[in-house]
Amino acid sequence: MKKDKWKTYGQLFLTMLKIGAFTFGGGYAMIALLENEFIAKKEWIKKEEFLNMVAIAESTPGPIAINSATYIGYKIGGVFGSVIATLGMVLPSFTIIFIISLFFDRFLSLTYVGYAFKGIQVCVIYLIVTAGIKLLKEMEKSVWNVIIALSVFLAMILCSVFAVQFSSIFYILISGVVGLLVYGIVRLKKKGDEDS
Amino acid sequence: MIYLELFLSFLKIGAFTFGGGYAMISIIRETVLAHGWMTESELLNFIAVAESTPGPIAVNMATFVGASQGGFVGSLLATIGVVLPSFIIILIVAALISNLLKYKGVNAFLGGIRPCIVAMILATAVTLGLSTLFSFHSIGDALLPDGKGIIIFLILLAIHFGYRLISKKRVSPILMILLSAVLGIFLYA
């Protein structure tokens, strides 16, 4: 029995290590891999539980990969399982990036690499623009969503143009509170309509 | 004390970035620029590296900045810092409130954050575009367009939308990074 437990921890760690080492392209690509490993292959987690996990991982702060690993680890092996799973998920990128950091400056100082990265910097802007446009298309275009998005967009651009420091954290918190207020108002109004 | 500063800065990034991926860029950018840990172009270089290597961008960024500012210990502390908030929050949610999203208040709060994140990504893209392609940082700067950069940007957009017309899919980001590297060498050399 005890031996089985350690075997499960070992499998959990190795599976997360594998997923951590092969997920390019961020959170959503990884969710497909997790689903394949933990539902289809190992049947460690039920489909319903998994979908709940994805929704929670998306809705709580932090990278989706880390959130999913911690959640699945906990469900399979308790607190120790969540430590093992999170460690497995982080270790590959930590190792790879640490090694890259040792050489990156020297690599960039090569003349042609420098030119290549001038092009790549433009590409990163393209990637961010298209990621933003994609999310904008998917966003529900309700009045309040549009108001929040437009206000935050303009406020950020203006702060940046006029070199005013205003942390993004405040935008997030304020928008969340606006979301709560809107919900409260809508509910009160509904109640008022029902009463009258 | 650089170790503590790294740990706390990335703890904050880990605790306040909803949505993953590019949603984190604006907070990461503010943090590394404010501390002088990276310049804007170094940041862009590294985002490309993070995009081409496995792992979440925030974790990659923490490891890289930590290593550049504080060696191995620095990278370890920054990485632990960025992971810790999610770890603790998810543990609490998984153990105690796995029906978190059934609460209407939680959903209302998240509903407010969602459009905010879309706007943050787009605003960051505009700011980065202005500073990289036009050398414009804040009011008073003249607009100095970088013609070659703008050409590369337009080529990438054309390919993006052209490919979408044919196959409805996105071109792989890594392919686009490779292509822009080639274009960079051709145009700037």
Side-chain angles (χ1 to χ4, degrees), chain A residues 147-162:
Chain A
I147 291 176
I148 292 174
L150 214 57
S151 326
V152 171
F153 182 76
L154 289 176
M156 275 190 84
I157 302 268
L158 287 175
C159 280
S160 149
V161 166
F162 290 99

Side-chain angles (χ1 to χ4, degrees), chain B residues 1-14:
Chain B
M1 171 96 176
I2 184 70
Y3 292 141
L4 189 67
E5 222 174 295
L6 282 168
F7 178 74
L8 291 179
S9 298
F10 280 97
L11 195 73
K12 206 168 78 180
I13 291 175

Side-chain angles (χ1 to χ4, degrees), chain B residues 103-124:
Chain B
Y103 293 98
K104 295 215 169 91
V106 173
N107 273 318
F109 188 78
L110 292 171
I113 288 177
R114 235 162 270 139
C116 170
I117 284 168
V118 177
M120 281 167 61
I121 295 175
L122 287 169
T124 306

Side-chain angles (χ1 to χ4, degrees), chain B residues 3-39:
Chain B
Y3 292 141
L4 189 67
E5 222 174 295
L6 282 168
F7 178 74
L8 291 179
S9 298
F10 280 97
L11 195 73
K12 206 168 78 180
I13 291 175
F16 283 100
T17 43
F18 290 81
Y22 290 120
M24 303 184 145
I25 298 246
S26 73
I27 294 180
I28 290 173
R29 175 172 169 268
E30 279 167 19
T31 311
V32 297
L33 293 183
H35 286 88
W37 288 336
M38 273 184 175
T39 63

Side-chain angles (χ1 to χ4, degrees), chain A residues 17 20-21 23 66 87-100, chain B residues 53-57 59-60 63-64 79:
Chain A
L17 200 70
T23 38
I66 305 298
L87 208 62
M89 186 62 101
V90 174
L91 209 55
S93 47
F94 180 80
T95 314
I96 293 168
I97 297 292
F98 186 76
I99 292 170
I100 288 177
Chain B
T53 49
I57 200 162
V59 176
N60 291 350
T63 309
F64 189 79
T79 309

Side-chain angles (χ1 to χ4, degrees), chain A residues 20-25 28 52 55-56 58-67 70-71 74-75 79 82-83 86 90 93-94 96-98 100-101 104 108 112 115-137 139 145 148-149 152-153 156-157 160-163 166-169 171-173 175-177 179-180 183, chain B residues 12 14-18 22 24 26-27 30 41 44-49 52-56 59-60 63-64 67 72 75-76 79 83 86-87 89-91 93-95 98 101 104-105 108-113 115-116 118-123 125-129 132-133 137-139 149 152-153 156-157 160 164 170 173-174 176-177 180-181 184-185 188-189:
Chain A
F22 290 103
T23 38
F24 294 86
Y28 295 99
N52 185 40
I56 286 172
E58 282 174 1
S59 319
T60 44
I64 292 172
I66 305 298
N67 293 346
T70 308
Y71 195 97
Y74 179 81
K75 289 293 168 187
V79 175
S82 71
V83 173
T86 311
V90 174
S93 47
F94 180 80
I96 293 168
I97 297 292
F98 186 76
I100 288 177
S101 79
F104 196 50
L108 273 183
Y112 280 92
Y115 293 140
F117 267 88
K118 284 199 84 161
I120 288 174
Q121 288 173 12
V122 178
C123 185
V124 170
I125 295 170
Y126 148 82
L127 290 173
I128 300 175
V129 171
T130 47
I133 292 176
K134 184 166 174 270
L135 285 175
L136 185 67
K137 275 188 189 155
M139 186 181 87
N145 278 357
I148 292 174
V152 171
F153 182 76
M156 275 190 84
I157 302 268
S160 149
V161 166
F162 290 99
F166 190 75
S167 171
S168 296
I169 291 173
Y171 292 117
I172 293 178
L173 292 177
S175 303
V177 171
L180 274 176
Y183 168 71
Chain B
K12 206 168 78 180
F16 283 100
T17 43
F18 290 81
Y22 290 120
M24 303 184 145
S26 73
I27 294 180
E30 279 167 19
S41 62
L44 289 175
N45 289 343
F46 188 71
I47 294 173
V49 173
S52 326
T53 49
V59 176
N60 291 350
T63 309
F64 189 79
F72 182 73
S75 73
L76 197 63
T79 309
V83 171
S86 347
F87 182 77
I89 293 168
I90 291 289
L91 216 52
V93 171
S98 57
L101 298 173
K104 295 215 169 91
F109 188 78
L110 292 171
I113 288 177
C116 170
V118 177
M120 281 167 61
I121 295 175
L122 287 169
V126 171
T127 315
L128 282 170
T132 306
L133 297 176
H137 301 281
S138 59
I139 198 138
I152 295 176
F153 188 72
L156 294 176
L157 276 186
H160 178 86
R164 280 280 297 277
R170 286 186 79 177
I174 295 179
M176 290 301 245
I177 290 173
S180 60
I185 292 173
Y188 287 103

Side-chain angles (χ1 to χ4, degrees), chain B residues 154-166:
Chain B
L154 293 177
I155 292 176
L156 294 176
L157 276 186
I159 292 173
H160 178 86
F161 289 109
Y163 191 73
R164 280 280 297 277
L165 279 180
I166 307 167

